[in-house]
Amino acid sequence: MRKLIVVVGLIFSIVVNAQQYTDTPYLQDYAVKYELQETIGGTALWQVESDRNLAIKVLSADGLLNAFGNELSLDLQYRPLTDMNIIAFDNYQDQFVYLTDTSVLSNAWGGTYEVEHGLTTASHFAIGSDFKALVASINALKLIGKEGKVIWETKENELHPISLKYDKRGNRFLMLTANALYEIVPEKPELKKIYSGSNLTAFALSENGIVLGTGNGVITLSGNPLKAGEINQKLPWTEITSITNINEQLWFGSTKGAFKLREDGKYDYYASKRWLVDDVVIDIAKGPENSVLIATKTGLSQINFVSMTLAEKADYFQKIQRLRHIRYGLTVNLELKTPGDLTSGYYHDTDNDGLWTSMYLAGELYRYAVTKDEDAKQNAYEAFEAMERLTAITPMHGFPARSFERDGYEVGLHANGFSEEWYKKHVAENGRIWRLTPDGKWRWKSTTSSDETCGHFYVHALFAELAPDQEWRDRAIHQLKIQMDHIMDNNWYLVDWNGEPTAWGKWNPKYVNSFPINVGDRRLNSTLILSFLQTTYHFTKDEKYKKAALKLIKRYGYDENANRPATTIGYVEGEDLSDRWNHSDDEMYFLTIPGFVNYSFTEEQRKKHFETVKSHWEVERSEKNPLWNYLFALTGSTTIDSEESAWNLREFPMDLIDWKIDNSHRKDLIMIEPNFRSQTYSEVLPGDERVLHKHNGAYKNNGGNARQEYAPYIYLLPYWAGRYAEAISAPVKE
């Protein structure tokens, strides 16, 4: 919060600027997918190529296919080609060249290039310098000049080539079979075996030599004479189907997706429907305009790499947020009746509509503070009115509903803290989680949890700080007051319509201190209620809130609870709430820390609270979560993980559909022992290689069902928090 930065002074401002990430353009990847047209569904795909005209063609068992309008359809452009038996095609001088059962030909260069090869079982070919074509069949090779003259030919028993390529730097052809790699030099042509192996499947040339794919790993041949290194099986998957060198970057296709070798020796992994039509890769080729084409068993994916800043990415997501993720002013995911199909999208409530809305609203407040954009202000005010209605719609003063919907259209029957048997009995029969308004037109969702309360206190405090109009700021302060009063008047509980505390809205000392000190809820709930009280006191100056906080501190040890370092949290035998680290608790904790630290009653208390928050941040650093880093910065930290946060934002996927993701087979990742934090690998995966989550599942690597599109606030809040904390610069165009 801008005002709060002043509290920490000039040193904080200088240090943050020193760590500021400069938002220059980087290459953002995203996929465009082409499904097989229904009339040719099931056809086998063989190759993919593009040319200088930006055309993308796929060769199939049914002939050439054209990639257009997110479909692969029969290519009817050159009518003569539709009557030819095209066996393979290649790219020479950025033009398409075709191998048919009789000839090698092209429609470029005025259609003048065509040579007959005379092989009865031609299967592969490559074009070398000056239009020299090497054509291979099951048992023969033939090198043909530009005018059709046969330069060299040989017959071999059971040749069965797998791949044939021209090595421009070495001025030679290379041919791969299942058990050998051969060299043919055009000036002195002969079939020379340069490597013997087994289970060979693909190859490509690189700066370091020749890279061979096998059914169980990759081998690199280097040196003169060639020597084979040890087989590399530390790959996302080892059953290699294709290898291509694109702009000196090696791309690998496999039966479980595609991956690109990075400079650091690790891999960028492209798998699942986030990236590919399916994961069985057939061929990879250079595409138009800095893209990569990946043909799979049932379609084509074009991985585009475009120059983009984090700010431009935020602009993109802002449009998606407004277009598809606003329901009555609340922020929601888009549910998909048909998996993966955005046109089948519809809205329904969740248990945490208030929390998700608070996080989008906070991002818009940060955006307004940084840019003074009236659009951000309007979005923030609209979301705030929806948040206001969550308390206005319930009959209990200051009790916020989870959500609301018109009567008869409520969908989400689940509510945290109740078993399936419970809500089958009580909800299905008489809708007790959903309560009817007096006018009989609306229902509001009860059983509100501490998650929701965290969102309300976080964003209403932020609203009171940053909203430009005093009348609106006062409305936010009123929300803080009535919600705090409800909790205090009900003996430190959220009390529902039935007079009972909700399952998780409990801050009463009897409940909080019933847990051993190692159970996270004892520490978390103490932190939350102290932060709520400090925040309400800060804005109202009503002494009753300060007195209540001091009573909890002095009589019930809440400050001691809250100030225990995060490292004390652990497993306690017999405690259900301590069997694993709850990452949703992290979300509540970090949304609460600005109020917990910055609204402390004394400087001594602020220092203690800050050190406690720092201990939690230290535990969380491995997640590289930008929101945790930027909220920590807003408590006055002189150290944040700036580059790690920017990395996370860069790697955040452009496609927010909850695609099914599976990383369990990967052999390039270092597994660690099962642990309390549920961390699977030695380091967190990039966001575009794992399951999407709402900041509470960094180590969730597998899952998804394509039944929803996540709301983009999960990017927008950390980005604008980073801008507001001056941890991200304004966009800088190179």
Side-chain angles (χ1 to χ4, degrees):
M1 305 174 187
R2 189 72 56 173
K3 289 183 180 178
L4 303 181
I5 293 175
V6 177
V7 173
V8 220
L10 183 61
I11 295 176
F12 168 61
S13 177
I14 292 172
V15 174
V16 168
N17 285 336
Q19 292 193 90
Q20 187 180 72
Y21 171 76
T22 303
D23 188 16
T24 55
Y26 66 97
L27 286 181
Q28 175 66 56
D29 47 359
Y30 69 94
V32 175
K33 288 164 280 188
Y34 301 87
E35 306 264 357
L36 280 169
Q37 198 175 61
E38 189 174 345
T39 56
I40 54 172
T43 189
L45 304 184
W46 296 340
Q47 278 185 272
V48 61
E49 291 286 353
S50 68
D51 71 356
R52 64 185 301 272
N53 303 313
L54 310 184
I56 300 172
K57 309 287 185 183
V58 175
L59 184 60
S60 76
D62 284 347
L64 277 179
L65 308 180
N66 198 29
F68 184 74
N70 296 111
E71 272 193 335
L72 288 178
S73 56
L74 289 174
D75 182 9
L76 306 176
Q77 292 174 334
Y78 277 97
R79 288 176 294 131
L81 290 181
T82 64
D83 292 328
M84 295 181 186
N85 180 16
I86 301 176
I87 297 165
F89 74 137
D90 200 356
N91 185 298
Y92 180 66
Q93 295 181 1
D94 278 340
Q95 302 282 9
F96 293 130
V97 182
Y98 305 96
L99 171 68
T100 74
D101 54 352
T102 61
S103 307
V104 179
L105 60 91
S106 178
N107 293 316
W109 307 291
T112 58
Y113 176 65
E114 181 172 3
V115 297
E116 294 184 355
H117 55 70
L119 297 176
T120 56
T121 57
S123 60
H124 295 78
F125 84 117
I127 303 292
S129 62
D130 195 26
F131 288 89
K132 293 185 183 74
L134 181 65
V135 183
S137 70
I138 293 174
N139 54 13
L141 282 170
K142 188 177 285 189
L143 183 63
I144 307 169
K146 182 178 181 180
E147 305 301 328
K149 181 180 178 182
V150 176
I151 300 172
W152 170 79
E153 63 181 314
T154 185
K155 291 186 177 181
E156 301 285 338
N157 291 328
E158 301 298 319
L159 198 57
H160 294 292
I162 291 173
S163 180
L164 189 58
K165 296 181 181 181
Y166 177 67
D167 174 12
K168 186 176 181 179
R169 281 182 285 201
N171 187 26
R172 59 180 176 171
F173 292 96
L174 293 170
M175 183 181 70
L176 185 71
T177 68
N179 52 28
L181 180 68
Y182 296 89
E183 174 187 79
I184 302 98
V185 178
E187 279 66 29
K188 296 180 180 179
E190 64 171 322
L191 186 62
K192 180 182 178 183
K193 184 185 292 188
I194 58 175
Y195 176 76
S196 293
S198 62
N199 199 18
L200 305 178
T201 59
F203 80 98
L205 295 137
S206 75
E207 292 178 329
N208 298 322
I210 302 171
V211 181
L212 295 173
T214 77
N216 193 29
V218 169
I219 300 168
T220 299
L221 308 178
S222 59
N224 188 13
L226 285 175
K227 291 184 178 180
E230 292 187 5
I231 190 165
N232 178 14
Q233 295 178 323
K234 292 182 178 180
L235 309 169
W237 189 237
T238 56
E239 191 176 358
I240 305 301
T241 58
S242 175
I243 310 177
T244 307
N245 186 328
I246 301 175
N247 299 326
E248 297 305 323
Q249 291 183 316
L250 284 175
W251 283 79
F252 300 84
S254 77
T255 54
K256 290 185 182 292
F259 42 96
K260 179 184 68 174
L261 179 63
R262 302 200 309 248
E263 290 183 2
D264 63 3
K266 298 179 182 179
Y267 297 91
D268 290 328
Y269 187 37
Y270 297 88
S272 82
K273 282 189 174 291
R274 178 180 289 159
W275 297 108
L276 306 177
V277 178
D278 66 88
D279 284 346
V280 181
V281 177
I282 305 300
D283 190 29
I284 300 178
K286 182 180 179 181
E289 298 180 326
N290 200 33
S291 69
V292 173
L293 304 173
I294 304 176
T296 60
K297 189 175 180 179
T298 59
L300 172 69
S301 298
Q302 182 177 12
I303 311 298
N304 296 283
F305 295 86
V306 297
S307 179
M308 183 179 288
T309 61
L310 296 180
E312 289 171 328
K313 194 170 185 177
D315 289 343
Y316 167 81
F317 281 136
Q318 182 66 245
K319 293 173 184 176
I320 301 301
Q321 173 78 26
R322 302 307 305 179
L323 181 65
R324 296 199 288 267
H325 295 279
I326 305 296
R327 181 183 74 91
Y328 305 129
L330 299 170
T331 285
V332 293
N333 291 344
L334 186 70
E335 307 297 322
L336 306 178
K337 289 185 178 180
T338 303
D341 181 6
L342 290 173
T343 65
S344 70
Y346 66 99
Y347 301 138
H348 76 63
D349 56 89
T350 72
D351 279 358
N352 298 114
D353 284 357
L355 176 59
W356 314 144
T357 304
S358 73
M359 296 174 81
Y360 173 60
L361 170 53
E364 290 302 272
L365 289 170
Y366 291 134
R367 179 161 79 102
Y368 179 77
V370 171
T371 66
K372 302 304 178 190
D373 190 327
E374 284 296 309
D375 179 66
K377 172 185 168 182
Q378 183 177 342
N379 293 342
Y381 282 12
E382 178 184 324
F384 176 77
E385 288 182 307
M387 295 283 290
E388 269 188 324
R389 193 178 184 205
L390 290 170
T391 53
I393 201 170
T394 73
M396 300 86 72
H397 188 64
F399 181 96
R402 288 183 181 272
S403 187
F404 54 81
E405 182 55 275
R406 286 186 166 89
D407 182 38
Y409 292 91
E410 62 273 17
V411 175
L413 299 180
H414 172 63
N416 283 320
F418 295 93
S419 67
E420 184 177 354
E421 291 74 20
W422 189 94
Y423 64 77
K424 275 184 179 178
K425 177 180 177 182
H426 295 279
V427 179
E429 291 179 3
N430 49 30
R432 289 183 183 174
I433 286 178
W434 284 98
R435 306 303 296 168
L436 192 65
T437 56
D439 61 9
K441 294 182 178 180
W442 291 82
R443 285 193 179 268
W444 57 273
K445 196 172 190 178
S446 62
T447 71
T448 305
S449 71
S450 53
D451 306 59
E452 294 291 282
T453 306
C454 283
H456 282 269
F457 274 88
Y458 163 60
V459 81
H460 289 140
L462 195 63
F463 200 97
E465 288 277 0
L466 300 181
D469 304 305
Q470 185 63 50
E471 177 189 352
W472 286 80
R473 293 198 296 271
D474 289 343
R475 286 165 66 176
I477 294 169
H478 177 69
Q479 288 295 312
L480 293 171
K481 178 176 171 54
I482 64 172
Q483 292 192 44
M484 193 69 257
D485 286 348
H486 173 90
I487 296 170
M488 290 175 62
D489 292 345
N490 286 283
N491 197 23
W492 306 109
Y493 292 111
L494 274 181
V495 173
D496 218 331
W497 60 272
N498 57 6
E500 296 294 329
T502 65
W504 302 113
K506 299 177 180 179
W507 299 277
N508 182 279
K510 186 176 180 180
Y511 173 80
V512 170
N513 287 335
S514 69
F515 296 112
I517 62 173
N518 306 92
V519 175
D521 275 37
R522 179 166 178 159
R523 177 178 181 269
L524 176 66
N525 284 24
S526 299
T527 303
L528 300 187
I529 199 65
L530 290 181
S531 179
F532 299 164
L533 287 164
Q534 290 173 190
T535 298
T536 310
Y537 173 75
H538 176 84
F539 288 102
T540 66
K541 301 306 179 189
D542 190 329
E543 288 293 326
K544 73 175 184 179
Y545 302 115
K546 185 175 183 179
K547 289 179 181 178
L550 293 176
K551 181 178 179 180
L552 291 176
I553 290 170
K554 294 177 180 178
R555 185 175 299 182
Y556 299 107
Y558 272 41
D559 220 19
E560 183 181 355
N561 289 341
N563 284 332
R564 288 191 180 94
T567 51
T568 62
I569 301 174
Y571 175 72
V572 179
E573 186 72 34
E575 287 288 345
D576 291 339
L577 293 178
S578 70
D579 62 340
R580 69 184 64 185
W581 188 276
N582 188 336
H583 293 279
S584 289
D585 288 354
D586 294 327
E587 192 164 64
M588 287 192 281
Y589 189 82
F590 278 93
L591 292 181
T592 303
I593 62 172
F596 182 59
V597 175
N598 295 315
Y599 300 144
S600 296
F601 297 132
T602 65
E603 178 61 17
E604 180 184 7
Q605 187 190 47
R606 189 196 70 79
K607 289 179 179 178
K608 289 180 179 179
H609 287 183
F610 176 81
E611 288 302 317
T612 304
V613 166
K614 184 179 180 182
S615 77
H616 203 116
W617 173 75
E618 290 282 2
V619 171
E620 292 295 300
R621 291 180 77 175
S622 64
E623 294 185 13
K624 304 180 182 180
N625 189 314
L627 184 56
W628 301 169
N629 275 296
Y630 301 145
L631 289 174
F632 182 48
L634 291 175
T635 66
S637 174
T638 58
T639 303
I640 62 169
D641 293 329
S642 182
E643 176 51 39
E644 289 82 353
S645 297
W647 168 85
N648 198 308
L649 293 173
R650 292 193 302 267
E651 296 295 328
F652 192 88
M654 301 290 281
D655 183 344
L656 300 186
I657 292 177
D658 183 30
W659 296 112
K660 182 179 180 181
I661 306 291
D662 183 13
N663 287 289
S664 60
H665 57 272
R666 293 181 63 170
K667 300 183 179 181
D668 61 322
L669 304 176
I670 300 173
M671 296 281 292
I672 61 176
E673 292 295 321
N675 56 84
F676 180 62
R677 287 179 55 77
S678 300
Q679 184 175 348
T680 311
Y681 304 118
S682 59
E683 58 183 339
V684 68
L685 293 182
D688 59 6
E689 295 182 16
R690 55 180 160 85
V691 181
L692 280 166
H693 63 89
K694 298 176 179 180
H695 301 291
N696 59 354
Y699 299 125
K700 186 178 180 182
N701 300 309
N702 308 313
N705 57 16
R707 288 286 187 177
Q708 62 180 330
E709 180 188 50
Y710 276 80
Y713 75 87
I714 53 180
Y715 175 92
L716 293 170
L717 173 56
Y719 170 75
W720 285 111
R723 287 289 303 276
Y724 181 68
E726 299 181 359
I728 304 173
S729 77
V732 178
K733 287 290 187 181
E734 291 180 335

